[in-house]
């Protein structure tokens, strides 16, 4: 597995190639980060159709602005910020017309993990719903910390707030989830 | 406590909290509940959309970029993606025409109509200059070999993924393509797969 500094170096090398006109370098960046971007979008939006649309838009926006990327933050942070901004745009735009929860995608299309036992399954489903109902900033802090495994310093950078605010949002999110899940 | 459990607390603080938790039943209970919550969150994997989806991701992104007129935006030379996207939709039109067997003029018109709906004028012009310099394209030679014909369901999924909102007559026609035309179309839309 590639360590984060190695990954960042590799991303930077690809970005330099892209900035020099190598289109294939952008393809490689997409291939490297598409799963993570999709998963983040899914966590934030809660359904496949919107997650797919957001992931595609995120890379499109990235393509448009990558020529100006200076490497002041990691590419992962840069991309995560784009995803959060697009997610906020979606919220502002109101509810989406096309809502296709992943549960409705045909079974054969999904590579599912081994199912946990019944009680855990119920709890996980409860938590998924509870996460979707969190206030946006709390949901972002929770998703970035738990699922993206970002440090609070990075979360603060991505969310454009202080480390203390990022932590506060995370703590409030946990508190709400515990109330919802009865834990 | 959440900082300790998520590994973000400074070592002295983490040690202090752990020492207290081990001696305090109330905090130990709290710690166990929080651990269970974090464990459940960590284990709540989202379903993977599957290999067809991932294989279509980049071609669809290229199309989206081309359709927004962004292809080659940071690239001073050839606008390869725009042409590739143009070629893809052109081949869709042409492949559909293989099944419908209209006249040569009709085939060209269908392809042009399809392109005109989806490509900006510059992309359209460039794609036509590159791909149709006065004649319709032939299937690539490589397709006459022993490539597996995609199963109808697999092809249908690919088409639905790539063109989820396309309700044109051409799309309906594409669903009934001959195996050869399907293979050709899949090659055009998902070159990484074949």
């Amino acid at each position: 597995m590639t360590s984060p500094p190695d990954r960042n170096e590799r991303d930077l090398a690809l970005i330099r190639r892209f900035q020099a006109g190598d289109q294939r370098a952008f393809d490689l960046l997409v291939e490297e980060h598409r799963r993570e971007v999709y998963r983040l979008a899914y966590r934030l939006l809660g359904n496949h159709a919107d997650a797919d649309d957001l992931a595609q838009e995120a890379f499109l926006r990235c393509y448009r602005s990558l020529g100006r990327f200076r490497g002041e933050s990691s590419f992962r942070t840069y991309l995560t910020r784009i995803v959060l901004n697009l997610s906020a745009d979606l919220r502002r735009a109101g509810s989406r017309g096309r809502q296709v929860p992943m549960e409705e995608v045909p079974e054969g299309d999904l590579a599912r993990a081994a199912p946990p036992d019944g009680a855990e399954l119920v709890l996980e489903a409860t938590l998924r719903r509870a996460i979707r109902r969190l206030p946006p900033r709390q949901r972002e802090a929770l998703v970035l910390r738990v699922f993206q495994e970002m440090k609070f310093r990075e979360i603060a950078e991505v969310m454009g707030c202080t480390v203390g605010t990022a932590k506060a949002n995370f703590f409030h999110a946990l508190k709400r989830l515990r109330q919802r899940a009865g834990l | 406590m959440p900082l300790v459990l998520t590994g973000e607390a400074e070592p002295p603080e983490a040690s202090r909290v752990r020492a207290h938790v081990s001696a305090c039943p109330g905090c130990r209970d709290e710690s166990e509940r929080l651990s269970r919550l974090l464990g459940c969150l960590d284990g709540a994997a989202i379903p993977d959309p599957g290999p067809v989806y991932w294989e279509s991701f980049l071609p669809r992104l290229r199309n989206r970029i081309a359709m927004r007129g962004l292809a080659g935006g940071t690239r001073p030379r050839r606008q390869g993606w725009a042409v590739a996207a143009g070629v893809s939709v052109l081949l869709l039109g042409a492949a559909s025409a293989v099944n419908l067997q209209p006249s040569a003029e009709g085939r060209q018109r269908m392809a042009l109509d399809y392109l005109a709906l989806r490509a900006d004028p510059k992309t359209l012009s460039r794609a036509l200059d590159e791909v149709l310099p006065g004649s319709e394209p032939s299937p690539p030679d490589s397709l006459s070999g022993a490539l597996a014909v995609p199963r109808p369901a697999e092809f249908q999924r690919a088409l639905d993924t790539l063109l989820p909102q396309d309700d044109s007559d051409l799309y309906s026609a594409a669903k009934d393509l001959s195996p050869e035309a399907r293979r050709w179309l899949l090659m055009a839309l998902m070159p990484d797969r074949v």
Side-chain angles (χ1 to χ4, degrees):
Chain A
M1 188 174 168
T2 312
S3 65
D6 287 345
R7 188 188 195 196
N8 198 33
E9 287 300 312
R10 195 172 57 200
D11 287 345
L12 279 174
L14 288 172
I15 290 166
R16 299 293 171 243
R17 278 171 52 190
F18 175 71
Q19 288 174 335
D22 181 354
Q23 198 72 61
R24 177 66 185 148
F26 184 74
D27 292 356
L28 294 172
L29 278 171
V30 173
E31 285 169 4
E32 173 74 20
H33 291 273
R34 60 188 174 178
R35 288 174 189 274
E36 190 175 19
V37 166
Y38 170 84
R39 283 196 291 261
L40 173 58
Y42 190 100
R43 298 279 185 203
L44 293 171
L45 301 175
N47 71 84
H48 170 67
D50 284 345
D52 170 54
D53 195 35
L54 192 145
Q56 289 268 319
E57 279 299 313
F59 282 112
L60 187 142
R61 190 173 284 193
C62 173
Y63 179 85
R64 200 162 48 196
S65 61
L66 202 55
R68 300 188 297 276
F69 184 82
R70 296 284 168 262
E72 288 158 1
S73 61
S74 72
F75 178 67
R76 182 181 185 236
T77 300
Y78 169 79
L79 201 50
T80 302
R81 194 181 298 129
I82 290 177
V83 171
L84 293 195
N85 288 340
L86 284 169
S87 173
D89 289 347
L90 271 180
R91 282 200 305 274
R92 279 192 286 270
S95 62
R96 304 274 291 169
R98 201 164 50 120
Q99 294 281 333
V100 184
M102 182 59 92
E103 290 75 9
E104 292 176 15
V105 175
E107 187 84 13
D109 287 354
L110 304 176
R112 295 179 187 281
D117 67 48
E120 293 300 293
L121 207 60
V122 170
L123 181 56
E124 285 179 14
T126 303
L127 287 173
R128 266 200 295 272
R129 280 196 300 275
I131 290 171
R132 284 204 285 275
R133 289 176 188 160
L134 286 172
R137 301 291 276 177
Q138 291 181 22
R139 184 166 62 234
E140 288 171 5
L142 180 89
V143 167
L144 294 176
R145 180 65 196 95
V146 174
F147 302 110
Q148 302 298 106
E149 297 182 347
M150 285 182 153
K151 300 290 183 191
F152 282 112
R153 178 183 49 76
E154 294 174 289
I155 295 171
E157 188 183 347
V158 167
M159 291 178 63
C161 63
T162 64
V163 172
T165 302
K167 285 180 181 175
N169 276 306
F170 176 67
F171 296 152
H172 284 302
L174 284 182
K175 187 176 175 185
R176 280 184 186 239
L177 292 187
R178 288 182 63 183
Q179 287 168 348
R180 297 258 182 199
L183 284 173
Chain B
M1 196 177 292
L3 288 180
V4 174
L5 293 175
T6 56
E8 281 247 37
E10 295 296 327
E13 189 183 11
S15 299
R16 190 167 51 80
V17 171
R18 286 201 187 95
H20 173 76
V21 166
S22 65
C24 173
C27 288
R28 191 161 56 243
D29 181 56
E30 173 78 2
S31 174
E32 284 166 4
R33 285 169 182 272
L34 202 48
S35 293
R36 185 170 175 225
L37 172 67
L38 290 169
C40 276
L41 285 174
D42 212 22
I46 60 170
D48 188 277
V52 170
Y53 172 78
W54 290 119
E55 284 163 16
S56 75
F57 192 90
L58 193 53
R60 288 189 299 119
L61 177 62
R62 287 176 185 148
N63 273 327
R64 192 178 282 225
I65 287 173
M67 285 174 191
R68 303 275 179 93
L70 295 173
T74 57
R75 183 183 173 191
R77 296 188 296 275
R78 292 171 58 83
Q79 306 217 354
W81 282 15
V83 174
V87 169
S88 292
V89 290
L90 181 66
L91 287 176
L92 173 60
S96 299
V98 167
N99 195 51
L100 298 173
Q101 297 184 342
S103 66
E105 188 182 355
R107 285 200 291 271
Q108 190 123 337
R109 179 165 295 283
M110 284 177 73
L112 280 170
D113 287 347
Y114 195 84
L115 274 172
L117 278 171
R118 283 159 178 75
D120 67 278
K122 284 182 182 174
T123 304
L124 175 62
S125 172
R126 202 176 302 115
L128 288 176
D129 286 344
E130 292 244 348
V131 180
L132 267 186
S135 66
E136 61 183 292
S138 301
D141 289 339
S142 60
L143 287 178
S144 59
L147 283 173
V149 176
R151 296 190 306 276
E154 183 186 19
F155 177 77
Q156 185 62 60
R157 268 205 305 276
L159 209 56
D160 289 341
T161 305
L162 292 163
L163 301 168
Q165 294 179 315
D166 191 323
D167 56 358
S168 67
D169 290 338
L170 205 56
Y171 178 44
S172 301
K175 289 181 176 176
D176 299 317
L177 287 176
S178 68
E180 177 65 24
R182 279 185 205 149
R183 203 167 60 180
W184 184 15
L185 180 58
L186 200 68
M187 172 75 177
L189 292 174
M190 304 171 69
D192 296 340
R193 183 180 174 81
V194 291

